[in-house]
Amino acid sequence: MPEIVQSLEAHQLLNELTTTAGREDPYSRYARLREISPIVRAPDGALVVTTYADCGTVLRDARFRKLPPDLLAFVGVATWRDHPALRQLFTSMLMLDPPDHTRLRRLVSSAFTPRRVEALRPAIERMVDELLADLDGEHDFVASFAFPLPVNVIGELLGVPAADRPRFQLLVRDWTQILEVLTPEVLSRADPAAATIRDYLADLLDERRRHPADDLLSALVQAQAADDRLTDDEVVANAALLFAAGFETTTNLLANGLAALLEHPDQARLLAERPDLARSGVEELLRFDSPVQLSPRIVAEPIELAGVTVAPGERVVAYLGAGNHDPARFAQPDQLQLDRADNAPLSFGGGIHYCLGAPLARLEAQIALPALLRRFPKLAPAGPARRRESLSLKGFTTLPVLAA
Ligand code: HEM
């Protein structure tokens, strides 16, 4: 059985991915990594996989787990319970294995079925129209559209009052930075942000205990009343996950998607002119520049992956953005083709942690992007855009546009 490749060039490429240049263009670096070997060891000791097939295995095979204690040991913070940022993340379904994962996901999954989500179409269309009405002229697309749309959609679903929503953009950005390289400095900003989110949601959940409404936060406190296994920590952490995941990644889908379309005006025209391309177009935009690029797991039992045997305890990271550009799966992977057939990107993950909000994120983008391009056929960049300083969650902090 071959050994896992140790390569200086691979280390250099992986280090580059943490720089501004690497975040601008990870895809050429992923391609080179895949050529070196489909599985390489990173400088931090994790194993990196870059093919579509191997990423799929990491996401779906039950021998890969979240194993929170091992993941926490890997990031090296023994006192994780004292860190609100880590405690909140590791109490959410995203970081748990069955049976806790199953128990927590079941609580909210009925709110996100394709049918329930489709019923939100008229409300989302209304929100899109309202935002577009104010978009004439020069704007930061992130501040004026890509953030407000998803935060208001998930805010309505959860029952977070409209006036409180804007402040969560920076709070969630600071909190989710722990998904990147975890340094003491990152943690020192993430902790107060996570504590603010926790305190805010705990108060709001208390309020719903006293005055239930027709929203998801009320459903969560009612579920807790009926099931004494559900702790206060779990209710707050999973409400925080739903809120954060509900807008951060979708903001990035809208902004990454628009940035790609502005670079490919022929494709933008196509999306504006052909409503039948909304579905495949959004899948292609998800594939082309995925808002989530990395998904880590811990190996629970020995498994063969990319031709090598991987031992229990190893941390393996599926590079979803690399799998999405694997030429063995997608012909001409670096081309944007909105009518691409047989397009199944890895961007929403796979297996038991497959994104709960995928139908909602898809619907928002399928409505918003074609409507935007129809309303402003001459939409153009209006200055330098800035990317978020993270690869795990890939997106823009500002994307200036001239809407005309
Ligand atoms: C374009 C937008 C989105 C992308 C790219 C995205 C991506 C992902 C990915 C890759 C995962 C799996 C992570 C893993 O395997 O470890 C995930 C999980 C999750 N997502 Fe999303 N997401 C998006 C939007 C949303 C929305 C709108 C919600 C709304 C609530 C949401 C809620 C969740 C939740 C709760 C999980 C955890 C599921 C579990 O662990 O069982 N996401 N998402």
Side-chain angles (χ1 to χ4, degrees):
M1 184 65 70
E3 297 283 301
I4 291 163
V5 169
Q6 299 271 8
S7 148
L8 270 181
E9 190 193 353
H11 280 194
Q12 193 187 332
L13 288 162
L14 288 162
N15 284 334
E16 276 173 31
L17 287 172
T18 65
T19 64
T20 307
R23 284 189 293 265
E24 289 277 322
D25 171 27
Y27 299 107
S28 61
R29 288 158 176 101
Y30 294 156
R32 182 63 201 126
L33 275 173
R34 203 185 304 103
E35 278 165 19
I36 294 170
S37 168
I39 183 163
V40 296
R41 195 173 289 284
D44 68 358
L47 296 172
V48 166
V49 300
T50 44
T51 71
Y52 184 88
D54 295 331
C55 287
T57 303
V58 172
L59 295 168
R60 290 191 185 89
D61 193 299
R63 285 170 286 184
F64 291 97
R65 309 251 174 88
K66 295 284 181 162
L67 286 177
D70 294 42
L71 260 184
L72 282 159
F74 189 92
V75 300
V77 186
T79 54
W80 66 276
R81 277 177 217 280
D82 301 335
H83 289 279
L86 291 168
R87 185 176 176 137
Q88 200 150 279
L89 185 67
F90 281 87
T91 315
S92 80
M93 70 181 99
L94 180 64
M95 291 302 189
L96 295 173
D97 294 311
D100 288 328
H101 169 263
T102 325
R103 178 171 60 86
L104 295 170
R105 185 166 168 131
R106 197 185 295 136
L107 285 178
V108 287
S109 53
S110 65
F112 293 95
T113 59
R115 236 185 61 211
R116 288 286 290 275
V117 168
E118 185 58 35
L120 301 172
R121 182 181 285 275
I124 296 174
E125 284 173 345
R126 232 181 359 260
M127 287 185 200
V128 166
D129 283 347
E130 279 168 21
L131 288 169
L132 290 182
D134 290 337
L135 204 67
D136 245 323
E138 220 174 293
H139 285 277
D140 169 16
F141 180 69
V142 176
S144 304
F145 193 94
F147 169 68
L149 176 66
V151 84
N152 286 325
V153 171
I154 192 72
E156 286 296 311
L157 267 178
L158 281 171
V160 174
D164 298 341
R165 295 170 196 161
R167 60 193 287 244
F168 285 93
Q169 185 180 23
L170 290 182
L171 289 171
V172 164
R173 196 178 292 162
D174 281 347
W175 176 35
T176 54
Q177 201 66 23
I178 59 170
L179 298 173
E180 209 61 18
V181 183
L182 191 66
T183 62
E185 196 220 326
V186 165
L187 206 49
S188 73
R189 289 178 60 165
D191 274 337
T196 306
I197 296 170
R198 176 199 63 203
D199 293 346
Y200 173 84
L201 287 174
D203 285 350
L204 200 53
L205 285 157
D206 270 347
E207 209 271 327
R208 290 301 195 282
R209 273 184 196 100
R210 291 190 300 271
H211 307 288
D214 183 18
D215 57 36
L216 254 181
L217 291 181
S218 302
L220 274 174
V221 294
Q222 277 155 12
Q224 189 182 22
D227 178 355
D228 57 11
R229 285 176 309 167
L230 193 56
T231 66
D232 285 347
D233 254 15
E234 285 176 337
V235 174
V236 173
N238 286 285
L241 172 71
L242 287 173
F243 191 33
F247 71 80
E248 171 65 40
T249 44
T250 312
T251 297
N252 296 340
L253 168 60
L254 295 172
N256 295 359
L258 180 64
L261 290 164
L262 291 175
E263 281 176 14
H264 298 81
D266 57 317
Q267 297 292 301
R269 245 187 332 272
L270 213 57
L271 190 59
E273 284 165 7
R274 289 190 40 196
D276 61 303
L277 280 189
R279 266 170 203 270
S280 69
V282 166
E283 294 313 287
E284 175 68 349
L285 292 167
L286 280 160
R287 184 195 70 79
F288 190 74
D289 198 15
S290 178
V292 179
Q293 294 273 320
L294 314 181
S295 185
R297 296 289 187 278
I298 300 280
V299 178
E301 296 166 43
I303 181 165
E304 201 181 308
L305 183 69
V308 299
T309 302
V310 183
E314 293 272 20
R315 181 177 190 255
V316 180
V317 185
Y319 272 53
L320 308 179
N324 281 343
H325 284 248
D326 179 356
R329 173 63 179 80
F330 298 103
Q332 300 172 310
D334 298 330
Q335 278 188 19
L336 183 71
Q337 297 170 11
L338 298 191
D339 59 353
R340 194 182 279 275
D342 183 28
N343 197 353
L346 298 163
S347 312
F348 289 121
I352 62 169
H353 291 278
Y354 183 79
C355 177
L356 186 69
L360 184 59
R362 284 190 169 113
L363 184 65
E364 289 179 43
Q366 287 165 8
I367 294 171
L369 290 172
L372 170 73
L373 296 169
R374 271 196 296 273
R375 173 85 178 234
F376 299 108
K378 295 198 196 111
L379 193 77
R386 281 193 46 203
R387 282 211 166 263
R388 209 190 130 147
E389 285 187 9
S390 101
L391 182 66
S392 196
L393 299 181
K394 189 170 189 288
F396 288 91
T397 52
T398 52
L399 182 60
V401 292
L402 178 62

